[in-house]
Amino acid sequence: MDLLRRVAVVAVLLSLPSRGRSGGGGGDLHPVVLVPGYGSNRLYARLTAAYEPAAPRCGAREGKDEWFQLWPIDAAASDPGQAPCLAEQMSLVYDPVADDYRNVAGVVTRVPSFASARALVGWDPLVWQLEAMGYRDGGSLFAAPYDFRYAVAPRGHPSAVGERYFARLTRLIERASRLNGGRPAVVVAHSFGCALTYQFLLARPLAWRQRFVKHAVLLAAALGGFAEGMDGLASGAGSGLPNLAPPARTRLARSQQSALWRLPTPMVFGDRPVVVTKNSTYSANNIAEFLDAIGFTEGVQPYVTRVLPMWRALPAPMVPVTSMYGVGVRTPETFVYGEAGFEGTPEVVYGDGDGNMNIVSLMAAEKEWSGVEGQILKVVRLPGVSHVGFFSDLALKKVVAEIQKAVSSIEVHRKEKIISFLNKFEYIIPVPLGW
């Protein structure tokens, strides 16, 4: 293609009309869809006649056809007697014949206020900032909360709850685009929400991604799992029920499908020692042996067949991504158990990360996607920002700034495409600095 022809192509591209202004209250901005982390979702439950409580007090609501808040579980913090009941009602059951997870019999659950940013726990500071930019809940600002106990599975394995969530998220993003002049959405995710968002993007056709997702802003995207994931299965730590006795706490942690997604992946962690006992060392490369050692043999099959295949590789999502994460915060890296084995309290060896997610996992996306042709990736490191500190004053300003860049006018994206088009050829046309 000669120079004159290229100039003609550029002229045609620049002459293409921009899309109209947003009808959702965001002006020329693209719609935003928020995908929260594990603990920022609300979960309601109802008990039916099929529920058989382990203790009589746990069935007090049985058959009343009333919904109650199962998570966040504030009641358990003030009433220790309710902790075992809530743990039982929050547990999942893995059916190896059906190869899927389900609620305990007689427990019906739902996630309230899907699509509303008001549904998220702890996200108000960011929502307020977005509203100050002109966003309106339900018009140009949306949220996709989920049942955090579940996840999705690789092709060939059923995952009823996870598949329904992905279908709802698909419809939500399409609706957000439709309400805003056909503009593709910017998806902002945090923590476990990043893992779901990433797998969601990979599961959608490339043409759909490029049509409906303008940008993904990932906050603390540990796409290789994290060390605490192993200790959580060994001890039940992080269940959110401090008043629950250790055996029940451990059963609850192991019942949840999402718990296996937290485990460090072989691709990212390799042979790094994560759990050490008197006689054995466990890394991401021998998770199955670790699950056997802690007495969680029933977790081996779903881990090997439903989790490992999804995280053996990290292909680029082929939509623009901004990855933001904290660094310089003491983060558990290795858990060393003494003479008492897994019944005792481990000594913790710390490394770098955001306090929960290890640096090697936080950096996994940039390691795998940098240099991939067609993948736009920006990395923003936030020194001293913890995993739950993204909505603190200093970090929040930086998060908002990156979202503002991601939702900027479509004109910027059009010009970037033109420049990319020109750079494929040996002649270079000077581009004005004002672009």
Side-chain angles (χ1 to χ4, degrees), residues 16-28:
L16 293 175
S18 300
R19 300 180 186 184
R21 293 177 65 82
S22 167
D28 287 324

Side-chain angles (χ1 to χ4, degrees), residues 30-42:
H30 292 250
V32 168
V33 177
L34 308 176
V35 182
Y38 182 96
S40 293
N41 300 276
R42 298 184 191 277

Side-chain angles (χ1 to χ4, degrees), residues 176-199:
S177 175
R178 186 171 61 254
L179 290 175
N180 290 272
R183 289 181 173 82
V186 172
V187 180
V188 181
H190 176 244
S191 190
F192 185 62
C194 294
L196 285 175
T197 297
Y198 172 66
Q199 291 293 347

Side-chain angles (χ1 to χ4, degrees), residues 19 22-34 130 135-136 138-142 172-188 211-215 403 406-408:
R19 300 180 186 184
S22 167
D28 287 324
L29 303 178
H30 292 250
V32 168
V33 177
L34 308 176
L130 293 174
Y135 280 93
R136 295 295 176 264
S140 50
L141 177 62
F142 307 86
L172 178 63
I173 291 175
E174 291 174 352
R175 175 170 169 256
S177 175
R178 186 171 61 254
L179 290 175
N180 290 272
R183 289 181 173 82
V186 172
V187 180
V188 181
R211 164 63 183 86
F212 288 105
V213 180
K214 180 181 188 290
H215 206 106
I403 294 175
V407 300
S408 60

